[in-house]
Amino acid sequence: MALRQLSLTRTIRYGSQNQSLLLVRVGWQYRQYGAPYGWSRSFASQSPPEAGKDSAYSDLPSDSASSKTLSSPSSRTSKSSVSSPAQSPSKASNRPTSPPLDWDDDPDLSISAFSQLPSSNFGVNQHMVINDEFKEALRQILWQFRAPIRYAFAYGSGVFPQGKASPSSSTGLHPAPSSAITNVQKGEGKMIDFIFGVSYTQHWHSLNLQQHRDHYSAIGSLGSYVVSGIQDKWGAGVYFNPYVTINGTLIKYGVVNLDTLCRDLSEWDTLYLAGRLQKPVKILRDDPRVRLANQVNLISALRTALLLLPPSFNERELYSTIAGISYMGDLRMTLPTENPNKVTNMVSNQLPNFRRLYAPLIENLPNVSFQDPRCSRPNWADDPSANATLVQDMDPVKRGNMVRRLPKSFRQKLYFRYQSKFQIPHLEFNKMLEETNDEDPTRIKRRQGGKFEQRVAGQDHQALRSEVRGVIKKTIGWPSMSQTIKGLVTAGVGRTWRYLSEKRQKYNQGRKAQSEETVQR
């Protein structure tokens, strides 16, 4: 019986000095200073790859809904009395179950094994729970590529529904889909989007051109050198092949170099892929470097959202702010080519997934917490109708620390905006930048906000919100535009026109839904 309970129990621990996050059969034990007491959920947590399973193709052993456990008041267990599956006696490990304090201050993106991550359960929140048969159907699509894919995830409305199913002209989009895909999409027939992370761009395209020449437009005839050059030197570093049929399923896949992906996740130089991974995705092949970089990306998105939000807010407002980051400045949202209700629909239909993604990170930040009696209800975290209240500390010192810990490229843009606004002389400003340099080879600097950051954080809320939004738009604007223009070349005119037509249709459907909602009010 004990072994059975152990197999059903999944644990996640996040900690820092005097606080720890323990997700066990009952769930989250909150901070001592006033947060809700019991979170009745195990989050169907998956065990991370063990030290001996560091292949780039490793995924979590199980993420089926059956891994959920029943909760009861008597199941609250102390940290010392619970064993994680990854720490079973037969496979002992010296790795900590909780990441060290301020793990994001100096992330080592040169790691090559999961055992080198800050803790044994690090980043488990990134793995979403989906139907097992659907997950296997997505994995089978990856196996149709002989070129090596080190990291892969599926995303978008073809994987995570963003509204009620409505039969449309796209019902027969997939030529011969598996029953798992048909059941999950409920007959809507939506194209499934993938991102493939690869180690060597030109080598990957060389192999893929040999196997799947029909996936490419006329540019493919120029060879892998030209294709990889277009990918790496134009736009955000992604090469998309849309409207490709694999295993009877219509897909779109983008190819990105792992170095480009990790840089965007950790520094936000374009926010093109970082923005996609700030929302729930299904990771099909994991990589330790990307997992670490994406955890930096997620906590950065959370900090940015907090700078944009008032002292008190609810979950939907938080997750809508995070989901909306990648759409600020996006050309598709400016033109009539995207559903204007996209963010609202996404959060409304994926609230438990957003909660899984960000709630452990909320617990890891000292200046924000859940303050809602509903959090004490059994299994409330599975309830998409629950909309818990959160509060944040608006102390300029703590918010200044958040400013200081924003991603490097993004933070520098924000600093330059405030240099102009505060009229700081160039010499003084350059000296300040040197003092906040993250790349000191002699020691690890704990990134604490100074007087400048505190002055920025102490600005009027609306003024700070405006400046941060301006930096987001500036970061996303050009990469989004150039990536769209690149699509005309990489996808070809025919496929691009089809893509824009479908986006236009989504825009019209969104506007119609808005009009109907207005009439009902």
Side-chain angles (χ1 to χ4, degrees), residues 33 64 98 124 141 154 178 186 221 253 292 339 380 441 464 516:
Y33 51 90
S64 64
S98 299
V124 71
I141 289 174
S178 67
K186 299 179 180 179
S221 61
Y253 65 90
L292 176 58
N339 187 340
W380 81 271
L464 177 60
E516 292 175 350

Side-chain angles (χ1 to χ4, degrees), residues 170-197:
S170 62
T171 303
L173 191 68
H174 303 301
S178 67
S179 58
I181 291 176
T182 302
N183 292 337
V184 168
Q185 296 192 347
K186 299 179 180 179
E188 283 192 288
K190 292 188 175 182
M191 184 167 62
I192 298 177
D193 299 332
F194 293 86
I195 292 292
F196 299 159

Side-chain angles (χ1 to χ4, degrees), residues 109 244 396:
L109 297 181
V244 169

